[in-house]
Amino acid sequence: MACVQLIVGTVGGTAWKTAQAAAVILNQLGHSARVNEESQPKDLLNPEEMLLICTSTTGNGELPPNIRALYSVLDDEAVQLTGRRYGVIALGDTGYPRFAHAAFLLEDALYRCGATRVGEILRLDAQVDDRPHVTAAHWVKDWINS
Ligand SMILES: Cc1cc2nc3c(=O)[nH]c(=O)nc-3n(C[C@H](O)[C@H](O)[C@H](O)COP(=O)(O)O)c2cc1C
């Protein structure tokens, strides 16, 4: 059974609700999942824990403020994450020029730190999906077995 930390980047709470729904399913399946919406660099230290990034994009392709501290250490490649497995849930809106760009930035930084992505990125477009928490709850069942 897996240990999963869902790291949330959110402004209005949609990504948080989405992460909560995914965590409920993971825990129902017997895994150990926790949602972290106040992530700090030290939260990356447990090598046994899979990371599931669940972030929206704000501004003009920017990271939500609550995930910027974590991104900063990843972007600086100040942490070694070789062999660490992670997934990405990317919330955005194709009505904006930089769709889900915050998730792209995090994915790129995780890759540069040596982490390995598991499964495909789940992209949730607010233009077409008004229940991203439901979509994510279905998706995570396959993701955890990837
Ligand atoms: C002020 C503002 C700026 C946004 N900028 C972007 C953007 O640049 N790219 C994008 O894909 N979505 C953008 N979005 C859409 C949000 O990412 C999307 O609505 C998301 O579901 C919000 O999740 P949250 O409530 O967790 O923050 C923006 C939304 C707002 C309100």
Side-chain angles (χ1 to χ4, degrees):
M1 289 296 140
C3 198
V4 184
Q5 179 184 181
L6 293 96
I7 295 180
V8 173
T10 187
V11 176
T14 308
W16 178 83
K17 186 176 176 183
T18 301
Q20 290 286 354
V24 165
I25 298 297
L26 288 171
N27 286 322
Q28 281 176 356
L29 291 171
H31 303 286
S32 174
R34 68 179 177 113
V35 175
N36 185 358
E37 68 273 21
E38 296 178 338
S39 57
Q40 296 298 321
K42 65 176 173 52
D43 297 328
L44 295 170
L45 294 180
N46 180 357
E48 304 302 320
E49 207 172 44
M50 292 176 77
L51 303 172
L52 182 49
I53 305 293
C54 182
T55 187
S56 67
T57 294
T58 191
N60 181 13
E62 289 157 26
L63 293 144
N66 74 316
I67 205 167
R68 285 181 195 165
L70 194 85
Y71 175 72
S72 181
V73 293
L74 293 169
D75 187 40
D76 290 347
E77 298 173 32
V79 58
Q80 179 58 257
L81 296 176
T82 306
R84 199 69 178 275
R85 295 186 302 152
Y86 72 95
V88 180
I89 300 175
L91 291 92
D93 185 327
T94 49
Y96 290 87
R98 292 182 172 178
F99 174 63
H101 193 67
F104 168 79
L105 291 172
L106 280 152
E107 147 89 343
D108 176 64
L110 281 159
Y111 173 79
R112 285 188 278 112
C113 290
T116 303
R117 181 160 56 77
V118 169
E120 294 300 314
I121 297 174
L122 175 61
R123 292 184 172 81
L124 296 167
D125 178 5
Q127 296 273 327
V128 296
D129 190 347
D130 59 2
R131 296 199 306 162
H133 58 291
V134 176
T135 306
H138 287 299
W139 172 87
V140 80
K141 293 177 194 168
D142 289 332
W143 176 77
I144 195 63
N145 293 320
S146 301

